[in-house]
Amino acid sequence: MTINSRGITADAAGDAEVSAGGAEVSAGQGRTARRVVDGVVLLTPPLMFVVPVLLIRARLIDDGYLFLNLVSLFISALVAAYAHMGWRARPHDGDLLSARTLTGLHTVDLARLTKVGRMEVPGQTRTDDRLILTDAHGVRLVLDKLAGGDGTVDALVRRALLNRPRGAGVVVSDRAAERLDLRTEVSRPHGRLKAGRTIREGFIGWVPMLSLLVVAPVAFGLLVAAFLLSGAI
């Protein structure tokens, strides 16, 4: 049993290929699924607004369906957050990292990452903390742990970012840089990495409440507009 450069055993790597169901892994897997998900995210609120209004005006459904406008934005947010969430993440030759998602097998090319972010969802007992990886092929994966153990993807991602050439311009958020211990590297002038959005740790716990304060008035406005346009009031 030997250890390869990705920090897993060669035997384990062989098992990973078998357990993946024999599916061929290649760069760009998941690109089409991401486009579909992005379309669903963008179209859900307008469709849940327009379709019930038209059907109510045609007297085909009850006006109670208009209350879907209160949750349409939340549904879009959930789809955007969880459709790309991966599990059973496995490294492969060629700097590829694949994982299962709700929309199938996705593969990011670590050597061609364009953005690295971080998603932190506060919970009652712990915060769900994951990296958001986007590569030049347009594939996105939201990941934390590798398959078959407690090891995270952090070492793989950090090594890949440090191996990028000067001027690569990979956007790394402040929170992701903190998790990967890359804040010093991001601040250097060689252009390998550049700073993305900044959200301080003390602000994370307030994000759900602040999001609700922003989304709720918009959702209520959609509901009122739907009632007016449908003729229900």
Side-chain angles (χ1 to χ4, degrees):
M1 182 177 294
T2 58
I3 304 295
N4 63 22
S5 61
R6 290 176 174 80
I8 63 172
T9 65
D11 292 351
D15 293 341
E17 295 295 336
V18 174
S19 64
E24 183 179 352
V25 174
S26 60
Q29 286 178 311
R31 176 173 48 204
T32 301
R34 181 193 170 181
R35 291 173 180 171
V36 171
V37 169
D38 289 346
V40 170
V41 170
L42 292 174
L43 292 176
T44 293
L47 286 177
M48 294 180 76
F49 176 84
V50 173
V51 173
V53 167
L54 294 177
L55 293 178
I56 290 170
R57 290 182 68 89
R59 299 184 179 180
L60 296 176
I61 62 173
D62 185 81
D63 58 15
Y65 285 94
L66 295 176
F67 285 96
L68 290 173
N69 288 283
L70 291 177
V71 297
S72 62
L73 295 175
F74 292 102
I75 292 174
S76 286
L78 288 174
V79 172
Y82 290 100
H84 303 298
M85 193 166 290
W87 65 90
R88 297 177 64 187
R90 304 175 187 277
H92 303 273
D93 291 337
D95 292 311
L96 301 181
L97 180 65
S98 70
R100 295 289 176 184
T101 72
L102 293 175
T103 55
L105 184 68
H106 287 205
T107 304
V108 291
D109 188 345
L110 296 176
R112 299 188 64 188
L113 289 174
T114 57
K115 294 181 181 179
V116 178
R118 185 176 177 184
M119 185 176 76
E120 299 169 87
V121 181
Q124 291 184 345
T125 57
R126 67 182 184 88
T127 297
D128 187 10
D129 188 353
R130 300 168 184 263
L131 292 175
I132 306 173
L133 310 177
T134 306
D135 69 9
H137 301 284
V139 181
R140 178 173 295 156
L141 266 176
V142 182
L143 294 172
D144 181 23
K145 296 185 181 300
L146 290 168
D150 295 328
T152 66
V153 300
D154 294 31
L156 295 174
V157 175
R158 189 177 193 277
R159 184 183 304 119
L161 292 175
L162 291 176
N163 286 336
R164 293 303 302 272
R166 288 176 173 267
V170 183
V171 178
V172 182
S173 74
D174 181 72
R175 297 292 297 155
E178 180 186 45
R179 170 168 169 159
L180 298 171
D181 192 22
L182 288 174
R183 278 184 166 172
T184 301
E185 188 69 20
V186 169
S187 64
R188 289 177 178 172
H190 48 51
R192 178 180 293 115
L193 310 177
K194 63 180 182 179
R197 65 180 184 273
T198 300
I199 300 178
R200 296 302 175 187
E201 184 174 0
F203 186 72
I204 297 299
W206 293 94
V207 168
M209 181 178 294
L210 293 174
S211 299
L212 180 62
L213 292 175
V214 172
V215 172
V218 176
F220 185 74
L222 288 173
L223 177 63
V224 172
F227 267 97
L228 292 173
L229 292 174
S230 67
I233 57 175

